[in-house]
């Protein structure tokens, strides 16, 4: 029994026990359902072993949506707990665990897979490539992310959740103050997922630099591809810092080293610096691809080319550079001195300038355009004023003297969500609606989509704008309760109402998918939005090989020029297409990483060593494997093209458009 006691949740509650039962029942139901319908073979052939960038993107998308609801449940619990004074829904310990897991799940396991989903789905198509540069590495990246996500999410039913905040500051995260294995989950699950993110960064950079279609120079790339490229450059420079910081934190907790301790030569502030050297660039890893999606959407639904292409690219490059020069603004109050605070205050304000350039470029793109108020365009229009408010409050926080008042209050919580929700979540939902028909063959219902938009927008304003006021009045973040005498109750109740509206809005997304799957027409053509960039030049849904012929690009809007100016996009004869083989090794390695991580969390050294050996065995087998891929021959390609209604050699004239 002593062996099993280590897996017990140290602060169990009826809610935790109910979660255990729910997880068990759902897991059993999934296994029984797959077995009953005899889908194990299908899942193994088509999904578990796939290296197709589109299927990997869809798996990222599904994971992100699941984590959105997982993190959203935490948010509702927090707002419910604070909706009235002296609430007893959550105790202090449970509240600590909830706000810790909410931050990690939403940033690492929801927002990151959302942007990776769109990078996988869109970038190879926008540059005219068959797949990414390293397809197996791409599959391994996903399964490492998934292993890390699942490992983190079992913490609240096996061993206990982390409770030191999503930033996990030391010495609070050290063994003296965080005695359960919860912080071990934090260190190791994020480490595994982060390795997958770093692999994706390397893969996407290589893909964009080496696999662009003939004629597509860097300055002819679509804006989303530019944003993905710069975000992945940031990933390659920022994530190694997080990797090393997590490794050091893990050795402190498991092996008694003293990197971040307050004794024996340790330095707790070293963790804060390492974390935010990664953490603030991470904000732009999320926001730049979101900017790319807004650029595609606003250009399409304004029926105009993007205003100021070069300035848009230049502003993103400048943002990426400045993102590494602002990290200290996260701890102005921690005693580094007036000179240091002043320098980082200036750099923080400076990063607002290139962001403002992008806002004006989008406004000028819409100026005199024929705007269509579709669901993706509504999210883009809603983003501009809401994100601007978030940016202005960011400049307020950048003033180091004033930050002594704002820091660690609900004002800061409001600011952060005021940038991330309109900036990232709205962009992801705009992209989801915009690209859904390309990959699933039908469109999401516009009426339900607009209801979702207004629920989320109104709910967002009600949920977070009151926090600016309560924060300025002194309400501290991370506090699980407050007294009636503070006067915070009415505005906190308003915030809870707003959060409830947002929850309803997210539920309507699921209903929209169900309703549209049942009722939306399938004869939508290849270009239902009358779009401008290359991903819309192929079929819907997209065939395995993406393009029967490699496109010949002459501008940043090659597909638009083909439609409106008669440019010939596809030239020459169809030839055999080389494609990579599927592989089960990435999936198996994901399972082994999960076992290794779980073993390290609970200091079970024998299975940990065995799992590490298994990882190196998989790597060695890959090194000696002779796998040169396969070819899709011309006859098969022509048969597939004929199924889409194409006459080989006439692709330029046969694209159908259903304008919305």
């Amino acid at each position: 029994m002593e062996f099993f006691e280590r897996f017990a949740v140290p602060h169990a509650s009826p809610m935790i026990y109910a979660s255990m039962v729910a997880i068990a029942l759902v897991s059993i139901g999934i296994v029984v359902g797959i077995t009953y319908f005899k889908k194990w073979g299908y899942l193994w052939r088509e999904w578990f072993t796939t290296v197709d960038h589109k299927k990997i993107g869809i798996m990222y998308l599904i994971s992100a949506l699941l984590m959105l609801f997982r993190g959203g449940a935490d948010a509702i619990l927090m707002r419910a707990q604070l909706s009235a004074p002296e609430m007893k829904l959550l105790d202090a310990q449970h509240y600590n665990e909830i706000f810790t897991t909410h931050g990690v799940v939403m940033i690492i396991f929801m927002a990151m897979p959302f942007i990776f989903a769109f990078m996988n789905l869109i970038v190879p198509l926008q540059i005219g490539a068959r797949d990414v540069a390293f397809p197996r590495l791409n599959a391994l990246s996903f399964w490492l992310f998934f292993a890390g996500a699942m490992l983190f999410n079992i913490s609240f039913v096996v061993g206990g959740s982390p409770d030191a905040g999503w930033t996990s500051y030391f010495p609070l995260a050290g063994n003296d103050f965080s005695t359960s294995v919860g912080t071990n989950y934090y260190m190791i699950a994020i480490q595994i997922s982060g390795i997958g993110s770093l692999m994706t960064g390397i893969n996407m950079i290589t893909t964009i630099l080496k696999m662009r279609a003939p004629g597509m120079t860097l300055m002819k790339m679509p804006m989303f591809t530019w944003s993905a490229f710069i975000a992945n450059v940031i990933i390659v420079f920022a994530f190694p810092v997080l990797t090393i910081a997590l490794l050091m934190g893990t050795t402190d907790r498991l092996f008694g080293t003293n990197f971040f301790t307050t004794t024996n030569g340790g330095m707790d502030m070293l963790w804060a610096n390492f974390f935010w050297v990664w953490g603030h660039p991470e904000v732009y890893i999320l926001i730049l691809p979101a900017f790319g999606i807004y650029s595609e959407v606003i250009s399409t639904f304004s029926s105009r080319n993007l205003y100021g292409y070069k300035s848009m690219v230049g502003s993103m490059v400048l943002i990426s550079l400045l993102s590494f020069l602002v990290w200290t603004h996260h701890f102005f109050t921690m005693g580094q001195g007036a000179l240091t605070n002043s320098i980082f205050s200036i750099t923080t304000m400076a990063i607002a300038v290139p962001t403002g350039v992008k806002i004006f470029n989008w406004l000028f793109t819409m100026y005199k355009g024929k705007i269509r108020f579709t669901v993706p365009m509504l999210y883009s229009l809603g983003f501009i004023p809401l994100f601007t408010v978030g940016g202005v409050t960011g400049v307020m926080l950048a003033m180091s003297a004033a930050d002594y008042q704002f820091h660690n209050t609900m004002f800061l919580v409001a600011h952060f969500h005021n940038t991330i929700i309109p900036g990232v979540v709205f962009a992801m939902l705009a992209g989801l609606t915009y690209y859904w028909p390309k990959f699933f063959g039908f469109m999401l219902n516009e009426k339900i989509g607009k209801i979702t938009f207004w629920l989320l927008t109104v709910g967002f304003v009600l949920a977070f704008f009151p926090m600016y006021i309560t924060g300025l009045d002194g309400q501290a973040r991370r506090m699980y309760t407050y007294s009636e005498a503070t006067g915070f109750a009415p505005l906190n109740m308003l915030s809870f109402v707003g959060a409830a509206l947002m929850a309803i809005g997210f539920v309507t997304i699921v209903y929209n998918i169900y309703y549209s799957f049942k009722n939306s027409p399938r004869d939508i053509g290849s270009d239902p939005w009358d779009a401008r960039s290359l991903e819309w030049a192929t079929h819907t849904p997209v065939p395995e090989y993406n393009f029967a012929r490699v496109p010949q690009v002459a501008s940043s809007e090659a597909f638009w020029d083909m439609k409106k100016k008669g440019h010939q996009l596809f030239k020459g004869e169809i030839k055999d297409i080389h494609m990579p083989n599927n592989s089960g090794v990435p999936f198996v390695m994901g399972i082994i990483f999960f076992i290794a991580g779980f073993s390290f969390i609970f200091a079970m050294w024998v299975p940990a060593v065995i799992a590490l050996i298994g990882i190196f065995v998989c790597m060695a087998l890959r090194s000696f494997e002779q796998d040169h891929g396969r070819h899709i021959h011309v006859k098969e390609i022509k048969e597939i093209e004929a199924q889409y209604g194409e006459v080989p050699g006439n692709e330029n004239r046969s694209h159908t458009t259903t304008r919305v």
Side-chain angles (χ1 to χ4, degrees):
M1 289 298 295
E2 184 178 345
F3 174 79
F4 293 102
E5 286 177 0
R6 72 177 74 185
F7 304 119
V9 177
H11 306 284
S13 68
M15 202 178 297
I16 296 295
Y17 290 129
S19 298
M20 291 178 180
V21 173
I23 290 172
L25 291 177
V26 170
S27 300
I28 292 169
I30 291 172
V31 171
V32 169
I34 295 173
T35 304
Y36 178 80
F37 291 106
K38 300 179 181 179
K39 292 296 183 180
W40 287 111
Y42 164 79
L43 289 174
W44 177 259
R45 292 188 306 272
E46 298 296 328
W47 296 96
F48 293 164
T49 62
T50 187
V51 296
D52 185 342
H53 71 96
K54 299 177 290 296
K55 290 182 177 179
I56 291 171
I58 290 170
M59 289 193 290
Y60 271 122
L61 190 62
I62 294 170
S63 301
L65 289 172
L66 289 174
M67 290 298 102
L68 178 65
F69 284 92
R70 164 69 179 86
D74 289 339
I76 286 293
L77 286 172
M78 285 189 289
R79 295 319 313 166
Q81 169 63 23
L82 294 176
S83 61
E86 309 292 351
M87 282 285 285
K88 305 295 184 183
L89 178 65
L90 304 172
D91 60 26
Q93 175 61 31
H94 200 179
Y95 189 84
N96 289 348
E97 294 174 1
I98 290 291
F99 74 67
T100 298
T101 56
H102 170 74
V104 175
V105 166
M106 287 304 207
I107 296 296
I108 304 294
F109 300 125
M110 185 280 289
M112 287 294 286
F114 240 136
I115 67 163
F116 286 155
F118 288 114
M119 287 179 188
N120 272 279
L121 290 168
I122 305 306
V123 167
L125 295 177
Q126 282 200 334
I127 64 173
R130 307 284 190 206
D131 207 311
V132 295
F134 308 114
R136 277 203 193 184
L137 190 68
N138 197 27
L140 179 59
S141 298
F142 170 77
W143 290 115
L144 289 184
F145 150 76
F146 193 75
M150 292 302 100
L151 189 61
F152 187 85
N153 278 284
I154 66 168
S155 63
F156 72 103
V157 295
V158 183
S161 291
D163 59 0
W166 90 275
T167 56
S168 203
Y169 282 157
F170 284 81
L172 179 60
N175 287 327
D176 291 339
F177 298 102
S178 295
T179 55
S180 75
V181 297
T183 302
N184 293 355
Y185 272 109
Y186 176 99
M187 296 288 168
I188 293 170
I190 297 177
Q191 179 80 287
I192 293 171
S193 180
I195 293 170
S197 298
L198 183 58
M199 290 177 178
T200 297
I202 295 168
N203 204 347
M204 286 293 168
I205 290 171
T206 308
T207 300
I208 293 169
L209 290 180
K210 305 299 290 185
M211 298 183 69
R212 299 191 306 279
M216 183 177 284
T217 62
L218 288 175
M219 295 308 291
K220 291 178 183 175
M221 293 195 307
M223 196 52 61
F224 177 74
T225 298
W226 258 116
S227 69
F229 175 69
I230 295 170
N232 282 289
V233 170
I234 299 175
I235 286 173
V236 169
F237 281 96
F239 265 83
V241 180
L242 179 67
T243 300
I244 296 303
L246 291 169
L247 178 62
M248 294 163 72
T250 302
T251 58
D252 271 15
R253 289 186 56 83
L254 294 181
F255 303 112
T257 56
N258 291 283
F259 292 112
F260 305 129
T261 60
T262 54
T263 58
N264 299 321
M267 185 184 298
D268 54 337
M269 278 301 298
L270 185 61
W271 168 268
N273 279 276
F274 279 166
F275 182 89
W276 287 114
V277 166
W278 162 81
H280 203 83
E282 165 68 9
V283 172
Y284 293 99
I285 290 169
L286 301 177
I287 209 74
L288 288 180
F291 286 172
I293 288 174
Y294 286 132
S295 296
E296 301 292 341
V297 168
I298 289 172
S299 178
T300 294
F301 296 113
S302 299
S303 300
R304 290 194 61 193
N305 62 306
L306 190 65
Y307 181 89
Y309 178 96
K310 291 181 179 179
S311 64
M312 292 287 269
V313 173
S315 65
M316 286 194 293
V317 172
L318 189 56
I319 287 171
S320 69
L321 295 174
L322 288 171
S323 71
F324 286 94
L325 301 175
V326 298
W327 80 90
T328 298
H329 73 220
H330 290 277
F331 41 89
F332 278 146
T333 62
M334 293 186 186
Q336 59 263 30
L339 178 61
T340 301
N341 280 358
S342 298
I343 292 170
F344 281 91
S345 183
I346 293 168
T347 57
T348 302
M349 293 182 192
I351 206 168
V353 175
T355 307
V357 169
K358 302 182 78 62
I359 296 290
F360 282 107
N361 282 353
W362 290 317
L363 293 174
F364 285 133
T365 300
M366 290 185 280
Y367 181 64
K368 291 187 177 180
K370 295 180 179 179
I371 297 176
R372 290 175 280 153
F373 293 98
T374 61
V375 172
M377 191 62 171
L378 286 178
Y379 280 114
S380 303
L381 292 171
F383 147 78
I384 292 176
L386 292 176
F387 185 81
T388 301
V389 172
V392 169
T393 55
V395 174
M396 293 171 66
L397 287 159
M399 295 183 287
S400 55
D403 190 62
Y404 277 77
Q405 173 66 32
F406 305 140
H407 193 67
N408 273 345
T409 69
M410 297 304 286
F411 186 94
L412 181 58
V413 175
H415 155 73
F416 183 74
H417 288 83
N418 212 155
T419 56
I420 293 299
I421 292 178
V424 178
V425 178
F426 276 24
M428 298 304 110
L429 297 178
L432 180 73
T433 310
Y434 183 59
Y435 286 114
W436 186 274
K438 176 51 63 177
F439 296 99
F440 296 100
F442 63 93
M443 300 182 71
L444 296 177
N445 183 272
E446 281 281 298
K447 183 177 180 180
I448 300 173
K450 289 176 180 178
I451 292 171
T452 301
F453 165 76
W454 286 111
L455 283 170
L456 292 178
T457 302
V458 174
F460 167 80
V461 171
L462 291 177
F464 292 101
F465 278 36
M467 295 184 195
Y468 285 120
I469 301 171
T470 61
L472 289 174
D473 283 344
Q475 185 181 6
R477 62 175 175 162
R478 306 193 183 107
M479 297 296 289
Y480 85 105
T481 190
Y482 55 92
S483 68
E484 188 173 357
T486 60
F488 299 148
L491 289 175
N492 275 298
M493 176 55 75
L494 188 60
S495 286
F496 173 66
V497 171
L501 282 177
M502 293 187 73
I504 296 169
F506 286 121
V507 171
T508 62
I509 294 172
V510 178
Y511 175 72
N512 195 355
I513 293 172
Y514 167 78
Y515 178 89
S516 302
F517 177 77
K518 297 282 287 184
N519 298 292
S520 291
R522 267 47 178 182
D523 55 340
I524 59 173
S526 300
D527 178 28
W529 300 116
D530 194 18
R532 309 175 77 85
S533 47
L534 206 55
E535 68 270 28
W536 300 97
T538 187
H539 308 297
T540 299
V542 184
E544 178 188 7
Y545 49 78
N546 294 348
F547 300 95
R549 296 178 179 83
V550 175
Q552 311 291 313
V553 175
S555 73
S556 62
E557 295 185 327
F559 182 47
W560 184 260
D561 288 345
M562 184 196 85
K563 292 189 296 182
K564 304 302 179 181
K565 300 179 182 179
H567 289 188
Q568 189 173 0
L569 191 56
F570 300 101
K571 302 176 183 179
E573 294 296 319
I574 295 177
K575 299 178 181 178
D576 288 356
I577 297 173
H578 178 265
M579 297 297 294
N581 288 321
N582 285 356
S583 174
V585 174
F587 177 74
V588 172
M589 287 187 72
I591 294 174
I592 297 173
F593 265 96
F594 180 93
I595 295 169
F598 188 84
S599 301
F600 272 105
I601 286 165
F602 289 95
M604 299 185 296
W605 304 120
V606 173
V609 170
I610 293 172
L612 289 176
I613 292 172
I615 291 169
F616 285 108
V617 167
C618 289
M619 294 168 65
L621 289 174
R622 173 58 178 153
S623 298
F624 291 103
E625 183 180 4
Q626 297 294 321
D627 182 0
H628 301 294
R630 59 192 171 83
H631 284 86
I632 303 175
H633 297 292
V634 171
K635 180 181 178 182
E636 183 180 353
I637 297 170
K638 289 184 176 179
E639 290 173 354
I640 294 171
E641 294 294 299
Q643 292 174 8
Y644 285 100
E646 300 287 6
V647 179
N650 291 321
E651 287 87 341
N652 282 357
R653 294 189 296 275
S654 58
H655 283 279
T656 58
T657 297
T658 305
R659 183 165 176 157
V660 175

